[in-house]
Amino acid sequence: MLKKVAVLGGGNGSHTMAADLALKGLEVRICEAPEFKESFAATLERQEITLVEAGSGEKTAKLALATTDFEQAIKGVDYIMMPIPATGHERFFRAIMPYLEDGQTIVSWPGNYASLYFARMLKEEGLKKDVTLAEGHTLPWGCRLEAPGRIKVFVDAWKLLLAALPSKETARVANDLKDYYPVAVASSVLETSLNNLNPIVHPVGTVLNAGAIDNRKEDFHLYRDGTTQSIARAIKAVFEEVSQIGEAVGVKMLEYPEETFWLKSTIMSHYFRAPEDINDTVANIRGPSSMKSRYITEDIPYGLVPVAGLAYSYGIDIPIIDATICLASAINGADYYGEGRSLGELGIAGLKREELDQILRKGS
Amino acid sequence: MLKKVAVLGGGNGSHTMAADLALKGLEVRICEAPEFKESFAATLERQEITLVEAGSGEKTAKLALATTDFEQAIKGVDYIMMPIPATGHERFFRAIMPYLEDGQTIVSWPGNYASLYFARMLKEEGLKKDVTLAEGHTLPWGCRLEAPGRIKVFVDAWKLLLAALPSKETARVANDLKDYYPVAVASSVLETSLNNLNPIVHPVGTVLNAGAIDNRKEDFHLYRDGTTQSIARAIKAVFEEVSQIGEAVGVKMLEYPEETFWLKSTIMSHYFRAPEDINDTVANIRGPSSMKSRYITEDIPYGLVPVAGLAYSYGIDIPIIDATICLASAINGADYYGEGRSLGELGIAGLKREELDQILRKGS
């Protein structure tokens, strides 16, 4: 059962999750890394967060604690939530590792292969804590910080895939979370990670709009302006490549009906919905404002690169994903294949299907 | 020596070349395919072409003949010029093949591997005519039909690579053409074809502007609007990949100084120049207006696909070129690798470097 929760991070997702769970009656602590203290000052000061939700107005959530002290944040909690960018995974997990307690569950939103990554970190440090690593396939909302300590939610997920590592713990975690989120059980943490739609939609959509993004900067809207017929076709091709990998590793992809690819409001899947009166909410999400946006710098190295690793491992051609990674690398003068999350870092390099299944099921 | 010339085709390039050579005192015939009679009607009717050149005003060129009869067009000429899109190569060459005469020289502008392609067609038909196949690395001008029979030239090449197949004929052809064009001798028809900048600049520039092109249609300007920093980087990467192939097959690439990639007016190389008073001419070239533009449908299958074939043959990685071909294929629902000009069609599949050199030198 969920009682005491620590939410890590100080961005859109973390503020939303902390406020939402506090408003739902839980004892919630939020913890940002000390190096980001400045942008987190309002929340530290107020010890509360204002949540603005379309349709249901404005509410302020009282927190049990807002801090930059990781030890204080996670001591005695049953759940540790990580609704943070994948670029922060290592930093935050390394910060809490020394203080982890038996029985705790750590959930990443979205996973981006975090459960496998954290399992390998624990193994490497020789930490034999009885913790469960879990993940959702996406963040439960589309949300943005409007001002320090004030966040706006504009779309809700109505189906959230959830899985734990080891997968035998999934049912228990899903049961704990079902009163708070619309969870649906996934077969493994590969199912949640492969179903994250950010890497499927964002990188190729951004690359094929490189000229427009360079020119428009702040005013660019990927969904409204950038998701033209050409881009929708390419996104569909990426989804089909990921689906082939899913099939090879025995993972079911979420339904992505044909028409969804052609609508600016559902291209991020029909599992998100906005209140009817603000139907163009998804389309009107702003950005990316540059080719160094998280749509590239997070979604490629932490999203598409592990996909490419699995493809290579299982002998599957992924020309459109490769194309996206290569062009983004050339544009940004980066080596995303080299920098990105490798199967080695996830502790699943060179495994046969049965060996992979065993790790997902048993956790090692 | 150049006396009687037939210019094939009825587009920008053909009209410009016919008018230019007629104004330079040659006896010029122009021949469009009968199926395009309608758009060629004004020229057929007038038997002359009006040429508008920035700086030097308007001139009208009297033609020896404007026709849609291929036999009449090429009978007795010493040079047959083909300033036509690569998509028309097969159609036009098949049309003139039965009437070719010993001693004639056929020049393609630009080559796009046409010399090798025509040599294979002649061989396949068992035609043992004593003709020379030759090509320039580009069309000598940037030009557009302003109205039927009236064309505007806005940039001139000041260096035109020229080669013949067999390459022992190059000196003779260059000597014939040097009074009319700024020819520079290339080592072989692979040097001219690999140095065509259209496939280097256009496809990747178009793909990375897919969203903008879908949205803007008629008003898009690749050089002015679309050649942002991201796109310039990708174009540079394509040039570097082609250069690697050039090195592998012993072909010298034109100088492409670093700064050229970053200027909207010289990205198509500093070998083109516009009169100083219309300095933004290149930047202001309109288009492409759709993803099915010749920037994709000609420059990929007839430009990048043979490059990819050579790369594969000589074990060279070309990730950015592959990326461009794959994304354009996904966007247009096409299979450009399959449709494009293969090394087999050029008669040079599976050759070792020495065998290739021999074909280029001796013609077979």
Side-chain angles (χ1 to χ4, degrees):
Chain A
M1 245 202 46
L2 223 54
K3 278 185 201 153
K4 292 184 189 176
V5 177
V7 177
L8 305 189
N12 308 315
S14 306
H15 275 89
T16 310
M17 192 169 279
D20 176 64
L21 292 178
L23 288 169
K24 285 172 175 162
L26 293 179
E27 183 182 327
V28 176
R29 306 174 196 167
I30 187 169
C31 180
E32 172 62 297
E35 62 269 31
F36 303 122
K37 211 168 177 164
E38 213 170 310
S39 61
F40 194 57
T43 306
L44 281 175
E45 163 83 19
R46 289 174 59 204
Q47 299 281 316
E48 54 184 34
I49 296 168
T50 302
L51 189 73
V52 188
E53 216 164 341
S56 56
E58 186 174 320
K59 286 176 198 153
T60 293
K62 196 84 204 143
L63 303 170
L65 179 68
T67 181
T68 58
D69 180 328
F70 288 104
E71 185 177 7
Q72 234 188 323
I74 73 160
K75 198 183 170 89
V77 302
D78 36 19
Y79 267 76
I80 299 168
M81 302 295 198
M82 297 185 68
I84 60 172
T87 46
H89 279 163
E90 194 194 347
R91 165 74 181 99
F92 278 83
F93 198 71
R94 210 169 279 292
I96 59 169
M97 261 207 295
Y99 314 120
L100 286 175
E101 296 167 8
D102 287 334
Q104 288 181 324
T105 301
I106 298 109
V107 196
S108 298
W109 309 86
N112 275 323
Y113 309 89
S115 306
L116 287 162
Y117 186 68
F118 295 156
R120 201 226 39 166
M121 283 176 76
L122 288 171
K123 197 173 168 188
E124 237 175 47
E125 295 290 323
L127 269 171
K128 287 197 198 304
K129 291 281 172 187
D130 179 23
V131 295
T132 302
L133 301 163
E135 58 187 57
H137 86 285
T138 177
L139 193 65
W141 315 275
C143 52
R144 288 286 188 274
L145 273 165
E146 273 202 324
R150 180 185 171 87
I151 52 117
K152 186 167 178 174
V153 171
F154 44 85
V155 281
D156 283 307
W158 60 268
K159 182 169 177 177
L160 262 177
L161 287 183
L162 187 92
L165 183 72
S167 59
K168 60 183 169 60
E169 293 297 323
T170 300
R172 195 257 309 160
V173 177
N175 195 52
D176 285 348
L177 297 181
K178 74 175 180 339
D179 292 339
Y180 307 94
Y181 305 115
V183 293
V185 165
S187 66
S188 75
V189 292
L190 266 192
E191 189 164 313
T192 40
S193 280
L194 282 173
N195 270 297
N196 182 356
L197 282 161
N198 288 353
I200 292 170
V201 173
H202 290 163
V204 77
T206 303
V207 161
L208 296 176
N209 278 290
I213 291 164
D214 281 357
N215 285 327
R216 305 275 299 279
K217 296 192 170 69
E218 282 310 316
D219 286 339
F220 187 76
H221 296 72
L222 179 61
Y223 304 106
R224 193 184 69 197
D225 302 333
T227 310
T228 64
Q229 189 86 351
S230 295
I231 279 72
R233 282 211 176 116
I235 291 171
K236 191 163 182 285
V238 172
F239 177 74
E240 282 159 8
E241 290 180 1
V242 175
S243 299
Q244 275 186 59
I245 293 158
E247 199 167 331
V249 297
V251 155
K252 245 181 88 181
M253 295 299 286
L254 284 171
E255 289 166 59
Y256 210 149
E258 179 81 14
E259 61 271 30
T260 300
F261 291 104
W262 316 109
L263 296 177
K264 290 162 200 288
S265 53
T266 56
I267 189 91
M268 275 301 285
S269 99
H270 63 150
Y271 294 107
F272 277 106
R273 62 181 158 198
E276 285 199 48
D277 55 333
I278 49 163
N279 225 336
D280 284 328
T281 313
V282 171
N284 285 318
I285 293 174
R286 213 190 263 188
S289 62
S290 92
M291 293 304 290
K292 298 224 164 134
S293 145
R294 277 174 53 191
Y295 281 25
I296 296 290
T297 59
E298 179 181 8
D299 292 331
I300 289 183
Y302 300 93
L304 290 186
V305 170
V307 162
L310 287 169
Y312 185 78
S313 205
Y314 288 86
I316 295 159
D317 272 347
I318 47 161
I320 305 300
I321 293 173
D322 278 332
T324 305
I325 300 173
C326 286
L327 281 169
S329 296
I331 287 170
N332 286 342
D335 170 17
Y336 291 124
Y337 279 112
E339 287 170 25
R341 211 156 249 185
S342 67
L343 297 196
E345 285 177 303
L346 304 182
I348 57 168
L351 298 185
K352 292 204 188 74
R353 176 68 196 281
E354 312 81 68
E355 300 166 316
L356 177 64
D357 285 345
Q358 168 154 333
I359 285 187
L360 296 170
R361 209 166 47 239
K362 300 193 181 169
S364 66
Chain B
M1 244 202 44
L2 222 51
K3 280 185 200 154
K4 293 186 189 174
V5 176
V7 178
L8 305 189
N12 308 315
S14 305
H15 274 91
T16 310
M17 190 169 279
D20 176 66
L21 291 178
L23 289 168
K24 284 170 176 162
L26 293 180
E27 183 184 327
V28 176
R29 306 178 197 164
I30 186 169
C31 181
E32 172 63 296
E35 61 268 31
F36 303 122
K37 209 168 180 168
E38 212 170 312
S39 61
F40 194 56
T43 307
L44 281 174
E45 163 84 14
R46 288 175 57 204
Q47 299 279 319
E48 53 185 35
I49 296 169
T50 303
L51 190 73
V52 188
E53 215 164 342
S56 57
E58 186 174 319
K59 285 176 200 155
T60 293
K62 197 83 205 141
L63 303 170
L65 179 68
T67 181
T68 56
D69 179 328
F70 287 104
E71 184 176 7
Q72 233 187 327
I74 73 162
K75 198 182 171 91
V77 302
D78 36 20
Y79 267 76
I80 299 167
M81 301 295 196
M82 295 183 71
I84 60 172
T87 45
H89 279 162
E90 195 195 348
R91 165 75 181 96
F92 277 84
F93 198 71
R94 209 169 281 289
I96 60 170
M97 261 206 298
Y99 314 120
L100 287 175
E101 296 166 6
D102 287 334
Q104 288 183 322
T105 300
I106 298 109
V107 195
S108 298
W109 309 86
N112 276 323
Y113 309 89
S115 307
L116 287 162
Y117 185 69
F118 295 156
R120 202 227 36 167
M121 282 177 77
L122 288 172
K123 198 172 166 189
E124 239 176 43
E125 296 289 323
L127 270 172
K128 287 196 196 305
K129 292 279 170 186
D130 180 24
V131 296
T132 302
L133 300 164
E135 58 186 57
H137 87 285
T138 176
L139 192 66
W141 315 275
C143 53
R144 289 284 187 275
L145 273 165
E146 273 201 323
R150 180 186 171 88
I151 51 117
K152 186 168 180 175
V153 171
F154 43 85
V155 281
D156 282 307
W158 60 268
K159 182 170 177 175
L160 263 176
L161 288 182
L162 187 93
L165 182 72
S167 59
K168 58 185 171 56
E169 294 297 323
T170 300
R172 195 257 309 159
V173 177
N175 195 52
D176 285 347
L177 296 182
K178 73 175 182 337
D179 292 339
Y180 307 94
Y181 304 115
V183 292
V185 164
S187 65
S188 75
V189 292
L190 266 191
E191 188 164 314
T192 40
S193 280
L194 281 172
N195 270 297
N196 181 356
L197 281 160
N198 288 353
I200 292 170
V201 174
H202 291 164
V204 75
T206 302
V207 162
L208 295 176
N209 278 290
I213 291 163
D214 281 356
N215 284 327
R216 305 276 298 280
K217 296 190 170 70
E218 281 311 317
D219 286 339
F220 188 75
H221 295 73
L222 179 62
Y223 304 105
R224 191 184 70 197
D225 302 332
T227 309
T228 64
Q229 190 86 351
S230 295
I231 279 72
R233 281 210 175 116
I235 291 171
K236 191 163 184 285
V238 172
F239 177 76
E240 282 159 8
E241 290 180 1
V242 175
S243 299
Q244 274 186 59
I245 294 159
E247 199 168 329
V249 297
V251 155
K252 244 181 89 181
M253 295 299 287
L254 284 170
E255 286 167 62
Y256 210 150
E258 179 81 15
E259 61 272 28
T260 300
F261 291 104
W262 315 110
L263 297 177
K264 292 162 199 287
S265 54
T266 57
I267 189 91
M268 275 302 287
S269 102
H270 63 152
Y271 295 107
F272 276 105
R273 63 184 158 195
E276 285 199 49
D277 55 333
I278 49 162
N279 225 335
D280 285 327
T281 312
V282 171
N284 285 318
I285 293 174
R286 212 190 265 188
S289 63
S290 91
M291 293 304 290
K292 298 225 164 134
S293 145
R294 277 174 53 189
Y295 282 23
I296 295 289
T297 59
E298 178 180 9
D299 293 331
I300 289 182
Y302 300 93
L304 290 186
V305 169
V307 162
L310 288 168
Y312 185 79
S313 204
Y314 288 86
I316 294 158
D317 271 346
I318 48 162
I320 306 300
I321 292 173
D322 278 331
T324 305
I325 300 173
C326 286
L327 281 169
S329 296
I331 286 170
N332 285 343
D335 170 18
Y336 291 125
Y337 278 113
E339 286 169 27
R341 212 156 247 187
S342 67
L343 297 196
E345 284 177 304
L346 304 181
I348 56 169
L351 299 185
K352 291 204 188 73
R353 177 66 196 283
E354 312 82 68
E355 299 167 315
L356 177 64
D357 286 346
Q358 167 155 331
I359 284 187
L360 296 171
R361 208 166 48 241
K362 300 194 182 170
S364 65

